[in-house]
Coordinates of all heavy atoms in Angstrom, one line a residue:
M195 N -7.8 -1.9 13.5 CA -7.0 -2.2 14.6 C -5.5 -2.0 14.3 O -5.1 -2.1 13.1 CB -7.3 -3.6 15.1 CG -6.6 -4.7 14.4 SD -7.4 -6.3 14.7 CE -9.0 -5.9 14.2
K196 N -4.7 -1.9 15.3 CA -3.2 -1.8 15.1 C -2.7 -3.2 15.3 O -3.1 -3.9 16.2 CB -2.6 -0.9 16.0 CG -2.8 0.6 15.8 CD -2.0 1.4 16.7 CE -2.4 2.9 16.5 NZ -1.7 3.8 17.5
V197 N -1.8 -3.6 14.4 CA -1.1 -4.9 14.5 C 0.4 -4.5 14.5 O 0.9 -3.9 13.6 CB -1.4 -5.8 13.3 CG1 -0.6 -7.1 13.5 CG2 -2.9 -6.0 13.2
K198 N 1.1 -5.0 15.6 CA 2.5 -4.6 15.8 C 3.3 -5.9 15.7 O 2.9 -6.9 16.2 CB 2.7 -4.0 17.1 CG 2.0 -2.6 17.2 CD 2.3 -1.9 18.5 CE 1.6 -0.6 18.6 NZ 2.2 0.3 19.5
F199 N 4.4 -5.8 14.9 CA 5.3 -7.0 14.7 C 6.6 -6.9 15.4 O 7.0 -5.7 15.5 CB 5.5 -7.2 13.2 CG 4.3 -7.3 12.3 CD1 3.8 -6.2 11.6 CD2 3.6 -8.5 12.3 CE1 2.7 -6.4 10.8 CE2 2.5 -8.6 11.5 CZ 2.0 -7.6 10.8
Y200 N 7.2 -8.0 15.8 CA 8.4 -8.0 16.6 C 9.4 -8.9 16.0 O 9.1 -9.9 15.4 CB 8.2 -8.3 18.0 CG 7.3 -7.2 18.7 CD1 5.9 -7.3 18.7 CD2 7.8 -6.1 19.3 CE1 5.1 -6.3 19.3 CE2 7.0 -5.1 19.9 CZ 5.6 -5.3 19.8 OH 4.8 -4.3 20.4
A201 N 10.7 -8.6 16.2 CA 11.8 -9.4 15.9 C 11.8 -9.9 14.4 O 11.6 -9.0 13.6 CB 11.9 -10.7 16.8
T202 N 11.9 -11.1 14.2 CA 12.0 -11.6 12.8 C 10.8 -11.4 11.9 O 10.9 -11.4 10.7 CB 12.4 -13.1 12.8 OG1 11.3 -13.8 13.5 CG2 13.7 -13.4 13.3
L203 N 9.7 -11.2 12.6 CA 8.5 -10.9 11.9 C 8.5 -9.5 11.2 O 7.9 -9.2 10.2 CB 7.2 -11.0 12.7 CG 6.9 -12.3 13.2 CD1 5.7 -12.4 14.2 CD2 6.7 -13.3 12.1
R204 N 9.3 -8.6 11.8 CA 9.5 -7.3 11.1 C 10.3 -7.5 9.9 O 10.1 -6.8 8.9 CB 10.3 -6.3 12.1 CG 9.4 -5.9 13.2 CD 10.1 -4.9 14.1 NE 9.2 -4.3 15.1 CZ 9.6 -3.5 16.1 NH1 10.9 -3.2 16.2 NH2 8.7 -3.1 17.0
D205 N 11.2 -8.4 9.8 CA 12.0 -8.7 8.6 C 11.1 -9.3 7.6 O 11.1 -8.9 6.4 CB 13.1 -9.7 8.9 CG 14.2 -9.1 9.8 OD1 14.3 -7.9 9.8 OD2 14.9 -9.9 10.5
L206 N 10.1 -10.2 7.9 CA 9.3 -10.9 7.1 C 8.2 -9.8 6.4 O 7.9 -9.9 5.2 CB 8.5 -12.0 7.8 CG 7.4 -12.7 7.0 CD1 8.1 -13.5 5.8 CD2 6.6 -13.6 7.9
T207 N 7.7 -9.0 7.3 CA 6.7 -8.0 6.8 C 7.3 -6.7 6.3 O 6.7 -6.0 5.5 CB 5.8 -7.7 8.0 OG1 6.5 -7.0 9.0 CG2 5.1 -8.8 8.6
G208 N 8.5 -6.4 6.7 CA 9.1 -5.1 6.3 C 8.5 -3.9 7.1 O 8.7 -2.8 6.8
K209 N 7.7 -4.3 8.1 CA 7.0 -3.2 8.9 C 7.1 -3.5 10.4 O 7.2 -4.6 10.8 CB 5.5 -3.2 8.5 CG 5.4 -3.0 7.0 CD 4.0 -2.5 6.6 CE 3.9 -2.3 5.2 NZ 4.6 -1.2 4.5
K210 N 6.9 -2.4 11.2 CA 6.8 -2.5 12.6 C 5.3 -2.6 13.0 O 5.0 -3.2 14.0 CB 7.5 -1.3 13.3 CG 9.0 -1.3 13.3 CD 9.5 -0.1 13.9 CE 11.0 -0.1 13.9 NZ 11.6 1.1 14.7
E211 N 4.5 -1.9 12.3 CA 3.1 -1.8 12.6 C 2.2 -1.5 11.4 O 2.7 -0.9 10.5 CB 2.9 -0.6 13.6 CG 1.6 -0.3 14.1 CD 1.5 0.9 15.0 OE1 2.3 0.9 16.0 OE2 0.7 1.8 14.8
I212 N 1.0 -2.1 11.4 CA 0.1 -1.8 10.3 C -1.3 -1.6 10.9 O -1.5 -1.9 12.0 CB 0.1 -2.9 9.2 CG1 -0.5 -4.2 9.8 CG2 1.4 -3.1 8.5 CD1 -0.7 -5.3 8.8
E213 N -2.2 -1.1 10.1 CA -3.6 -0.9 10.4 C -4.4 -1.9 9.6 O -4.1 -2.0 8.4 CB -4.1 0.5 10.2 CG -3.5 1.6 11.0 CD -4.3 1.8 12.3 OE1 -5.4 1.4 12.4 OE2 -3.6 2.4 13.3
I214 N -5.3 -2.6 10.2 CA -6.2 -3.5 9.5 C -7.6 -3.2 9.9 O -7.9 -3.0 11.1 CB -5.8 -5.0 9.9 CG1 -4.4 -5.3 9.5 CG2 -6.8 -6.0 9.3 CD1 -4.2 -6.4 8.5
K215 N -8.5 -3.3 9.0 CA -9.9 -3.2 9.3 C -10.7 -4.4 8.7 O -10.3 -5.0 7.8 CB -10.4 -1.9 8.6 CG -9.9 -0.6 9.1 CD -10.5 0.6 8.5 CE -9.9 1.9 8.9 NZ -10.0 2.2 10.3
G216 N -11.9 -4.6 9.4 CA -12.8 -5.6 8.9 C -12.6 -7.0 9.3 O -13.3 -7.9 8.8
V217 N -11.6 -7.3 10.2 CA -11.5 -8.7 10.6 C -12.2 -8.8 12.0 O -12.1 -7.9 12.8 CB -10.0 -9.1 10.7 CG1 -9.4 -9.1 9.3 CG2 -9.2 -8.3 11.6
K218 N -12.8 -9.9 12.3 CA -13.5 -10.1 13.5 C -12.9 -11.1 14.4 O -13.3 -11.1 15.6 CB -15.0 -10.5 13.1 CG -15.6 -9.5 12.2 CD -17.1 -9.6 12.3 CE -17.9 -8.7 11.4 NZ -17.5 -7.4 11.5
T219 N -12.0 -12.0 14.0 CA -11.3 -12.9 14.9 C -9.8 -13.0 14.6 O -9.4 -12.5 13.5 CB -11.9 -14.3 14.7 OG1 -11.6 -14.8 13.4 CG2 -13.4 -14.4 15.0
V220 N -9.1 -13.6 15.5 CA -7.6 -13.7 15.3 C -7.4 -14.6 14.1 O -6.5 -14.4 13.3 CB -7.0 -14.4 16.6 CG1 -5.5 -14.8 16.3 CG2 -7.0 -13.4 17.7
K221 N -8.2 -15.6 13.9 CA -8.1 -16.5 12.7 C -8.2 -15.7 11.4 O -7.4 -15.8 10.5 CB -9.1 -17.6 12.7 CG -9.0 -18.5 11.4 CD -10.1 -19.5 11.4 CE -10.0 -20.5 10.2 NZ -9.6 -19.9 8.9
E222 N -9.3 -14.8 11.3 CA -9.4 -13.9 10.2 C -8.2 -13.0 10.0 O -7.8 -12.8 8.9 CB -10.7 -13.1 10.3 CG -12.0 -13.8 10.0 CD -13.2 -13.0 10.1 OE1 -13.1 -11.7 9.9 OE2 -14.3 -13.5 10.4
L223 N -7.7 -12.5 11.1 CA -6.5 -11.6 11.0 C -5.4 -12.4 10.5 O -4.7 -11.8 9.6 CB -6.2 -11.1 12.5 CG -4.9 -10.3 12.5 CD1 -5.0 -9.0 11.7 CD2 -4.6 -10.0 14.0
L224 N -5.1 -13.6 10.9 CA -4.0 -14.3 10.4 C -4.1 -14.7 8.9 O -3.2 -14.6 8.1 CB -3.7 -15.6 11.2 CG -3.2 -15.3 12.6 CD1 -3.0 -16.6 13.4 CD2 -1.9 -14.5 12.6
D225 N -5.4 -15.0 8.5 CA -5.7 -15.3 7.1 C -5.3 -14.0 6.3 O -4.7 -14.1 5.2 CB -7.1 -15.7 6.9 CG -7.3 -17.1 7.4 OD1 -6.4 -17.9 7.6 OD2 -8.5 -17.4 7.6
T226 N -5.8 -12.8 6.7 CA -5.6 -11.6 6.1 C -4.1 -11.3 6.0 O -3.5 -10.9 5.0 CB -6.3 -10.5 6.7 OG1 -7.7 -10.7 6.7 CG2 -6.1 -9.1 6.1
L227 N -3.4 -11.4 7.1 CA -2.0 -11.2 7.1 C -1.2 -12.1 6.2 O -0.2 -11.7 5.6 CB -1.4 -11.3 8.6 CG -1.8 -10.2 9.6 CD1 -1.3 -10.6 11.0 CD2 -1.3 -8.8 9.1
D228 N -1.6 -13.4 6.1 CA -0.9 -14.3 5.3 C -1.1 -14.0 3.8 O -0.2 -14.2 3.0 CB -1.4 -15.7 5.5 CG -0.4 -16.8 5.1 OD1 0.8 -16.7 5.6 OD2 -0.7 -17.7 4.3
K229 N -2.2 -13.3 3.4 CA -2.4 -12.8 2.0 C -1.5 -11.6 1.8 O -0.9 -11.5 0.7 CB -3.8 -12.4 1.8 CG -4.7 -13.6 1.7 CD -6.2 -13.2 1.5 CE -7.1 -14.4 1.6 NZ -8.5 -14.0 1.9
M230 N -1.2 -10.8 2.8 CA -0.4 -9.6 2.6 C 1.1 -10.0 2.7 O 1.9 -9.4 2.0 CB -0.7 -8.6 3.8 CG -2.1 -8.1 3.7 SD -2.5 -7.1 5.2 CE -1.5 -5.7 5.0
F231 N 1.4 -11.0 3.6 CA 2.8 -11.3 3.9 C 2.9 -12.9 3.8 O 2.8 -13.5 4.9 CB 3.2 -10.8 5.3 CG 3.0 -9.4 5.5 CD1 2.0 -9.0 6.3 CD2 3.7 -8.4 4.8 CE1 1.7 -7.6 6.6 CE2 3.4 -7.0 5.0 CZ 2.5 -6.7 5.9
P232 N 2.9 -13.4 2.6 CA 2.9 -14.9 2.5 C 3.9 -15.6 3.5 O 5.1 -15.2 3.5 CB 3.2 -15.2 1.0 CG 2.7 -13.9 0.3 CD 3.0 -12.8 1.3
G233 N 3.5 -16.6 4.1 CA 4.4 -17.3 5.1 C 4.3 -17.0 6.5 O 4.8 -17.7 7.3
I234 N 3.6 -15.9 6.8 CA 3.5 -15.5 8.2 C 2.7 -16.5 9.1 O 3.1 -16.8 10.2 CB 2.9 -14.1 8.3 CG1 3.3 -13.5 9.8 CG2 1.4 -14.0 8.1 CD1 3.1 -12.0 9.9
K235 N 1.7 -17.1 8.5 CA 0.9 -18.1 9.3 C 1.8 -19.3 9.6 O 1.7 -19.8 10.7 CB -0.3 -18.5 8.5 CG -1.5 -17.8 8.8 CD -2.7 -18.1 7.9 CE -3.3 -19.5 8.1 NZ -4.6 -19.7 7.5
K236 N 2.6 -19.7 8.7 CA 3.5 -20.8 8.9 C 4.5 -20.5 10.1 O 4.9 -21.4 10.8 CB 4.3 -21.1 7.6 CG 5.2 -22.3 7.7 CD 5.8 -22.4 6.3 CE 7.1 -23.3 6.5 NZ 7.9 -23.3 5.3
E237 N 4.8 -19.2 10.2 CA 5.7 -18.9 11.4 C 5.0 -18.9 12.7 O 5.6 -19.1 13.8 CB 6.2 -17.4 11.1 CG 7.1 -17.3 10.0 CD 8.5 -17.9 10.2 OE1 9.1 -17.8 11.3 OE2 9.0 -18.5 9.3
L238 N 3.7 -18.7 12.7 CA 3.0 -18.5 13.9 C 2.1 -19.7 14.4 O 1.6 -19.7 15.5 CB 2.0 -17.3 13.8 CG 2.8 -16.0 13.6 CD1 1.8 -14.9 13.2 CD2 3.6 -15.6 14.8
I239 N 1.8 -20.7 13.4 CA 1.0 -21.8 13.7 C 1.8 -23.1 13.5 O 2.3 -23.3 12.4 CB -0.3 -21.9 12.9 CG1 -1.1 -20.6 13.1 CG2 -1.1 -23.0 13.3 CD1 -2.3 -20.4 12.2
D240 N 2.0 -24.0 14.5 CA 2.7 -25.2 14.3 C 1.9 -26.3 13.6 O 0.7 -26.0 13.3 CB 3.3 -25.7 15.6 CG 2.3 -26.2 16.6 OD1 1.2 -26.5 16.2 OD2 2.7 -26.4 17.8
E241 N 2.5 -27.5 13.3 CA 1.8 -28.5 12.6 C 0.6 -29.0 13.3 O -0.3 -29.5 12.6 CB 2.7 -29.8 12.4 CG 4.1 -29.5 11.9 CD 5.1 -29.1 13.1 OE1 5.1 -29.6 14.1 OE2 5.8 -28.1 12.8
D242 N 0.5 -28.8 14.6 CA -0.7 -29.3 15.3 C -1.8 -28.2 15.5 O -2.8 -28.5 16.1 CB -0.3 -29.7 16.7 CG 0.7 -30.9 16.7 OD1 0.5 -31.8 15.9 OD2 1.6 -30.9 17.6
G243 N -1.5 -27.0 14.9 CA -2.5 -26.0 14.9 C -2.4 -25.1 16.2 O -3.3 -24.3 16.4
D244 N -1.3 -25.3 16.9 CA -1.1 -24.5 18.1 C -0.3 -23.3 17.8 O 0.4 -23.1 16.8 CB -0.3 -25.4 19.2 CG -1.1 -26.6 19.6 OD1 -2.3 -26.5 19.8 OD2 -0.5 -27.6 19.9
V245 N -0.4 -22.3 18.7 CA 0.3 -21.0 18.6 C 1.9 -21.3 18.7 O 2.3 -22.0 19.6 CB -0.1 -20.0 19.7 CG1 0.7 -18.8 19.5 CG2 -1.5 -19.8 19.6
N246 N 2.6 -20.9 17.7 CA 4.1 -21.0 17.7 C 4.5 -19.5 17.8 O 4.5 -18.8 16.8 CB 4.4 -21.6 16.4 CG 5.9 -22.1 16.4 OD1 6.5 -22.2 17.5 ND2 6.5 -22.3 15.2
G247 N 4.9 -19.0 18.9 CA 5.2 -17.7 19.1 C 4.2 -17.1 20.2 O 3.7 -17.9 21.0
M248 N 3.9 -15.9 20.1 CA 2.9 -15.3 21.0 C 2.1 -14.2 20.3 O 2.7 -13.4 19.6 CB 3.7 -14.7 22.2 CG 2.7 -14.2 23.3 SD 3.5 -13.8 24.9 CE 5.0 -12.9 24.4
I249 N 0.8 -14.3 20.5 CA -0.1 -13.3 20.0 C -0.9 -12.7 21.2 O -1.6 -13.4 21.9 CB -1.1 -13.9 19.0 CG1 -0.3 -14.5 17.8 CG2 -2.0 -12.7 18.4 CD1 -1.1 -15.3 16.9
L250 N -0.8 -11.3 21.4 CA -1.4 -10.6 22.4 C -2.5 -9.7 21.8 O -2.2 -9.0 20.9 CB -0.5 -9.8 23.3 CG 0.7 -10.5 23.8 CD1 1.6 -9.5 24.5 CD2 0.3 -11.6 24.8
V251 N -3.7 -9.7 22.4 CA -4.7 -8.8 22.1 C -5.0 -7.9 23.3 O -5.4 -8.4 24.3 CB -6.1 -9.5 21.7 CG1 -7.2 -8.5 21.4 CG2 -5.8 -10.4 20.5
N252 N -4.7 -6.6 23.1 CA -4.7 -5.7 24.2 C -4.0 -6.2 25.5 O -4.5 -6.0 26.6 CB -6.2 -5.4 24.5 CG -7.0 -4.8 23.3 OD1 -6.4 -4.0 22.6 ND2 -8.2 -5.1 23.2
G253 N -2.8 -6.8 25.2 CA -2.0 -7.3 26.4 C -2.4 -8.6 26.9 O -1.7 -9.1 27.8
H254 N -3.4 -9.3 26.3 CA -3.8 -10.6 26.8 C -3.4 -11.7 25.8 O -3.8 -11.5 24.5 CB -5.3 -10.6 27.1 CG -5.7 -9.6 28.1 ND1 -5.5 -9.8 29.5 CD2 -6.3 -8.4 28.0 CE1 -6.0 -8.8 30.2 NE2 -6.4 -7.9 29.2
N255 N -2.7 -12.7 26.2 CA -2.4 -13.8 25.3 C -3.6 -14.6 24.8 O -4.5 -14.9 25.7 CB -1.4 -14.8 26.1 CG -0.7 -15.7 25.2 OD1 -1.3 -16.2 24.2 ND2 0.6 -15.9 25.5
I256 N -3.7 -14.8 23.5 CA -4.8 -15.5 23.0 C -5.0 -16.9 23.6 O -6.1 -17.5 23.5 CB -4.9 -15.5 21.5 CG1 -3.7 -16.3 20.9 CG2 -4.9 -14.1 20.9 CD1 -3.9 -16.6 19.4
V257 N -3.9 -17.5 24.1 CA -4.0 -18.8 24.6 C -4.9 -18.8 25.8 O -5.5 -19.8 26.2 CB -2.5 -19.3 25.0 CG1 -2.6 -20.6 25.9 CG2 -1.7 -19.5 23.8
H258 N -5.0 -17.7 26.5 CA -5.8 -17.5 27.7 C -7.2 -16.9 27.4 O -8.0 -16.7 28.3 CB -5.1 -16.7 28.8 CG -3.8 -17.3 29.2 ND1 -3.7 -18.5 29.8 CD2 -2.6 -16.8 29.0 CE1 -2.4 -18.7 30.0 NE2 -1.7 -17.7 29.5
L259 N -7.4 -16.6 26.1 CA -8.8 -16.1 25.7 C -9.4 -17.2 24.9 O -9.6 -18.3 25.4 CB -8.5 -14.9 24.8 CG -7.8 -13.7 25.5 CD1 -7.4 -12.6 24.6 CD2 -8.7 -13.2 26.7
K260 N -9.8 -16.9 23.7 CA -10.5 -18.0 22.9 C -9.7 -18.4 21.7 O -10.2 -18.9 20.6 CB -11.9 -17.4 22.3 CG -12.9 -17.1 23.4 CD -14.1 -16.5 22.8 CE -15.1 -16.1 23.8 NZ -16.3 -15.4 23.2
L261 N -8.4 -18.4 21.9 CA -7.4 -18.8 20.9 C -7.7 -18.1 19.5 O -7.9 -17.0 19.4 CB -7.3 -20.3 20.9 CG -6.0 -20.9 20.3 CD1 -4.8 -20.4 21.0 CD2 -6.0 -22.4 20.3
W262 N -7.8 -19.0 18.5 CA -8.1 -18.4 17.1 C -9.5 -17.8 17.0 O -9.6 -16.9 16.1 CB -8.0 -19.6 16.1 CG -6.7 -20.3 16.3 CD1 -6.6 -21.7 16.5 CD2 -5.4 -19.8 16.2 NE1 -5.3 -22.0 16.7 CE2 -4.5 -20.9 16.5 CE3 -4.8 -18.6 16.0 CZ2 -3.1 -20.8 16.4 CZ3 -3.4 -18.4 16.0 CH2 -2.6 -19.5 16.3
D263 N -10.4 -18.1 17.9 CA -11.7 -17.5 17.8 C -11.8 -16.2 18.7 O -12.9 -15.7 18.9 CB -12.8 -18.5 18.3 CG -12.9 -19.7 17.4 OD1 -12.8 -19.5 16.2 OD2 -13.1 -20.8 17.8
T264 N -10.7 -15.7 19.2 CA -10.7 -14.5 20.0 C -11.2 -13.4 19.1 O -10.8 -13.2 18.0 CB -9.3 -14.2 20.5 OG1 -8.8 -15.2 21.3 CG2 -9.3 -12.8 21.3
E265 N -12.3 -12.8 19.7 CA -12.9 -11.6 18.9 C -12.1 -10.4 18.9 O -11.4 -10.1 19.9 CB -14.3 -11.3 19.5 CG -15.3 -12.4 19.3 CD -15.6 -13.1 20.6 OE1 -15.3 -12.6 21.7 OE2 -16.3 -14.2 20.5
L266 N -12.1 -9.7 17.8 CA -11.3 -8.5 17.6 C -12.3 -7.3 17.3 O -13.3 -7.5 16.6 CB -10.3 -8.6 16.5 CG -9.2 -9.7 16.7 CD1 -8.5 -9.8 15.4 CD2 -8.4 -9.3 17.9
K267 N -11.9 -6.1 17.8 CA -12.6 -4.9 17.5 C -11.6 -3.9 16.9 O -10.5 -4.0 17.0 CB -13.2 -4.3 18.8 CG -14.2 -5.2 19.5 CD -14.8 -4.6 20.8 CE -14.0 -4.7 22.0 NZ -13.4 -5.8 22.6
E268 N -12.2 -2.9 16.2 CA -11.4 -1.9 15.5 C -10.4 -1.2 16.4 O -9.4 -0.8 15.9 CB -12.3 -0.9 14.8 CG -13.2 -1.5 13.6 CD -12.4 -2.1 12.5 OE1 -11.4 -1.5 12.1 OE2 -12.8 -3.1 12.0
E269 N -10.8 -1.0 17.7 CA -9.9 -0.2 18.5 C -8.8 -1.1 19.2 O -8.0 -0.6 20.0 CB -10.7 0.5 19.5 CG -11.4 -0.4 20.5 CD -12.8 -0.7 20.1 OE1 -13.2 -0.5 18.9 OE2 -13.6 -1.3 20.9
D270 N -8.8 -2.4 18.9 CA -7.8 -3.3 19.5 C -6.4 -3.1 19.1 O -6.2 -2.6 17.9 CB -8.2 -4.8 19.3 CG -9.4 -5.2 20.1 OD1 -9.8 -4.5 21.1 OD2 -10.0 -6.2 19.7
V271 N -5.4 -3.5 19.9 CA -4.0 -3.5 19.5 C -3.6 -4.9 19.6 O -3.7 -5.5 20.7 CB -3.2 -2.6 20.4 CG1 -1.7 -2.7 20.0 CG2 -3.7 -1.1 20.3
V272 N -3.0 -5.5 18.5 CA -2.6 -6.9 18.5 C -1.0 -6.8 18.4 O -0.5 -6.2 17.5 CB -3.2 -7.6 17.3 CG1 -2.7 -9.1 17.3 CG2 -4.7 -7.6 17.4
H273 N -0.3 -7.5 19.3 CA 1.1 -7.6 19.2 C 1.4 -9.1 18.9 O 0.9 -10.1 19.4 CB 1.7 -7.4 20.6 CG 1.4 -6.0 21.1 ND1 2.3 -5.0 21.0 CD2 0.3 -5.5 21.8 CE1 1.8 -3.9 21.5 NE2 0.6 -4.2 22.1
I274 N 2.3 -9.3 17.8 CA 2.6 -10.6 17.3 C 4.1 -10.8 17.4 O 4.9 -10.1 16.8 CB 2.2 -10.8 15.9 CG1 0.6 -10.5 15.8 CG2 2.4 -12.2 15.4 CD1 0.0 -10.6 14.4
F275 N 4.5 -11.8 18.2 CA 5.9 -12.2 18.4 C 6.2 -13.5 17.8 O 5.4 -14.4 17.9 CB 6.2 -12.3 19.9 CG 6.0 -11.0 20.7 CD1 4.7 -10.7 21.2 CD2 7.0 -10.2 20.9 CE1 4.5 -9.5 21.8 CE2 6.8 -9.0 21.7 CZ 5.6 -8.6 22.1
P276 N 7.4 -13.7 17.1 CA 7.7 -15.0 16.6 C 8.1 -15.9 17.7 O 8.3 -15.5 18.8 CB 8.9 -14.6 15.7 CG 9.5 -13.4 16.4 CD 8.4 -12.7 17.0
P277 N 8.3 -17.2 17.4 CA 8.8 -18.2 18.3 C 10.2 -17.7 18.8 O 11.0 -17.1 18.1 CB 8.9 -19.5 17.6 CG 8.4 -19.3 16.3 CD 8.1 -17.8 16.1
A278 N 10.4 -17.9 20.1 CA 11.7 -17.5 20.7 C 12.7 -18.6 20.4 O 12.5 -19.8 20.4 CB 11.6 -17.3 22.2
G279 N 13.9 -18.1 20.1 CA 15.0 -19.1 19.8 C 16.1 -18.9 20.9 O 15.9 -18.1 21.8
G280 N 17.0 -19.8 20.7 CA 18.1 -19.6 21.7 C 18.6 -20.9 22.2 O 18.2 -22.0 21.7
G281 N 19.4 -20.9 23.2 CA 19.9 -22.2 23.7 C 21.2 -22.0 24.5 O 21.7 -20.9 24.7

């Protein structure tokens, strides 16, 4: 599957997009990404285990799907956005 990073996550990963194989859920994807890019899970999951930022699977927010248990397929495209800042 394609995983696309945005904003500060591009700085953390050094990449705009990567290909990942063999993960079946968003949780597995984040575990795999955290091994590749230590600290990325900390950026995306808050202390309560909620999404900090936004993760889209084929354009659908995982908050409206099965959250961390959202199933993934090899042909999926996952977009990962960091928390929005500002004020």
